[in-house]
């Protein structure tokens, strides 16, 4: 009956390609503690590999409502940005990702996702600036590494197309292909 334990188990399931099981664990955590902000954020995170990226922002907004100054708020904002990037809402993605970078400029992935969003918007110079900022923090980063390491495998064609779209934006923004 420990909400945070269910939340941790939920994250483990999300990161091991069982997003729906992860969502269920996070919902159990919320049944025990409806104010557990991180559980809301993890449900948002799980939406991306579960093919429900359009729902991600609402869960992140809820997490930020409960804990607006949380030490992990930058990661939650990045999650919202990724959700928006997946569904082609690139302006909204860029807004969330800029907010994440303002909160914590030392998280390289926020810069790389921002670069992809800006590239899709046709903002080439700012996209390349975001790429440079990200590569300063993580010089070994490549789009291939992201696809192979950060992303869980899936057979879902919608999720695969969304991931391919992110990779396309990253490469267009000047992130090394791999």
């Amino acid at each position: 009956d420990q909400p945070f334990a269910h939340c941790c188990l939920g994250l483990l399931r999300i990161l091991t390609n069982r997003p729906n099981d992860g969502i269920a664990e996070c919902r159990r955590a919320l049944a025990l503690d409806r104010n557990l902000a991180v559980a809301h954020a993890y449900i948002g995170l799980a939406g991306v590999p579960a093919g429900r990226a359009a729902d991600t922002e609402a869960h992140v907004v809820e997490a930020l409502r409960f804990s607006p100054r949380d030490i992990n708020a930058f990661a939650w904002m990045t999650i919202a940005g990724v959700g928006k990037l997946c569904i082609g809402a690139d302006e909204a993605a860029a807004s969330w990702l800029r907010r994440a970078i303002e909160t914590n400029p030392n998280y390289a992935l926020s810069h790389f996702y921002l670069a992809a969003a800006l590239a899709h918007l046709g903002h080439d110079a700012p996209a390349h600036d975001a790429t440079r900022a990200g590569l300063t923090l993580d010089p070994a980063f490549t789009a291939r590494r992201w696809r192979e390491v950060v992303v869980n495998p899936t057979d879902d064609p919608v999720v695969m197309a969304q991931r391919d779209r992110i990779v396309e934006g990253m490469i267009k923004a000047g992130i090394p292909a791999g």
Side-chain angles (χ1 to χ4, degrees):
D1 292 335
Q2 296 296 320
F4 192 69
H6 284 286
C7 193
C8 290
L9 184 55
L11 178 62
L12 177 68
R13 290 188 172 158
I14 293 163
L15 296 177
T16 56
N17 204 29
R18 296 174 287 168
N20 292 319
D21 294 342
I23 290 169
E25 284 297 333
C26 289
R27 291 201 188 282
R28 282 188 197 102
L30 290 170
L32 297 167
D33 179 356
R34 64 187 173 102
N35 298 323
L36 188 59
V38 70
H40 291 287
Y42 289 166
I43 292 170
L45 173 65
V48 173
R52 296 190 297 269
D55 300 336
T56 296
E57 181 182 43
H59 295 290
V60 170
V61 167
E62 192 70 0
L64 291 169
R65 186 174 74 81
F66 284 112
S67 190
R69 291 181 184 82
D70 195 285
I71 193 168
N72 294 309
F74 74 94
W76 303 348
M77 293 171 196
T78 300
I79 291 166
V82 170
K84 291 297 186 181
L85 186 57
C86 284
I87 63 171
D90 299 317
E91 285 286 351
S95 177
W96 274 110
L97 294 162
R98 284 186 184 106
R99 221 173 127 190
I101 291 166
E102 287 171 10
T103 304
N104 180 357
N106 297 316
Y107 186 55
L109 276 176
S110 298
H111 293 278
F112 295 130
Y113 291 130
L114 176 61
L118 293 171
H120 282 302
L121 289 167
H123 301 291
D124 296 337
H128 285 96
D129 291 343
T131 294
R132 276 191 292 282
L135 289 173
T136 298
L137 296 167
D138 185 355
F141 186 87
T142 66
R144 179 176 170 221
R145 185 178 124 205
W146 176 80
R147 188 166 177 73
E148 291 176 354
V149 176
V150 176
V151 178
N152 292 327
T154 182
D155 294 339
D156 185 329
V158 171
V159 175
M160 289 172 55
Q162 291 171 342
R163 290 176 182 169
D164 289 345
R165 183 177 192 282
I166 292 172
V167 169
E168 175 188 318
M170 286 179 170
I171 292 170
K172 187 175 176 184
I175 294 169

